[in-house]
Amino acid sequence: QYTTATEGGFLFVLYIIMIPVMEYVLYKKHLPKKQMLWILLGLVGSVLMMKSKEITIGKGEAAMLAAAFFASAHIISIDRLDKSKIKTFYLNAFQLMWGAIFTAPFYFFIKHDFSGNYSTKSVLGLFSLIFGSTLLAYFLQIKAQLKISPSMISILFLLESAFSAMFAYWLLGDRLS
């Protein structure tokens, strides 16, 4: 409602920049000069990508940046757990439960229109969010993060922008240009 799915996807992957910075600030993890260069290039690339229009931070963009921040914190916190004791399925179910508890109050602040006009695409979109983007994605993330660093996970998550654009085209009818 407040931004496009594609723009939101591109803003969300800014956590590739946030993760190394947060690790440095929180845990004094050394940032090699090469990584600082990549962070700078990532910021420049983001600005260039948005250069075609005036850069404004509205409600949708602010929400996506906040989500990127919390995704970064999530990736870093998973890395700090004792990996030998992680039961992937239970951790995933537990974090989804807490996610639902913390986001449920926002339901009351969002305008709802349940007019009953549901399409097959809207139902497919809902199920892809529940099972693909949430349940399966977090399960695979936790499984992979038992062996891969947070920085590498964030690099792999750059695919999120491409998938966001693809699903926006397929499910929402957005035009790819």
Side-chain angles (χ1 to χ4, degrees), residues 54-119:
E54 185 179 321
I55 298 173
T56 57
I57 303 294
K59 288 180 184 178
E61 291 81 13
M64 292 311 296
L65 289 172
F69 174 80
F70 286 113
S72 301
H74 177 261
I75 290 169
I76 291 170
S77 64
I78 293 293
D79 188 60
R80 305 298 289 181
L81 296 174
D82 182 358
K83 291 177 175 62
S84 67
K85 295 182 180 178
I86 291 178
K87 302 255 189 281
T88 309
F89 179 79
Y90 296 116
L91 178 61
N92 191 27
F94 189 70
Q95 73 183 12
L96 292 174
M97 176 196 72
W98 281 108
I101 288 170
F102 284 126
T103 57
F106 291 104
Y107 174 81
F108 299 105
F109 299 107
I110 297 172
K111 181 181 173 187
H112 302 334
D113 179 19
F114 297 120
S115 58
N117 298 327
Y118 303 109
S119 68

Side-chain angles (χ1 to χ4, degrees), residues 154-176:
S154 67
I155 290 169
L156 290 172
F157 277 16
L158 284 175
L159 291 170
E160 192 157 357
S161 296
F163 282 112
S164 176
M166 181 181 70
F167 281 109
Y169 171 77
W170 181 53
L171 294 172
L172 302 175
D174 280 5
R175 202 176 121 246
L176 298 177

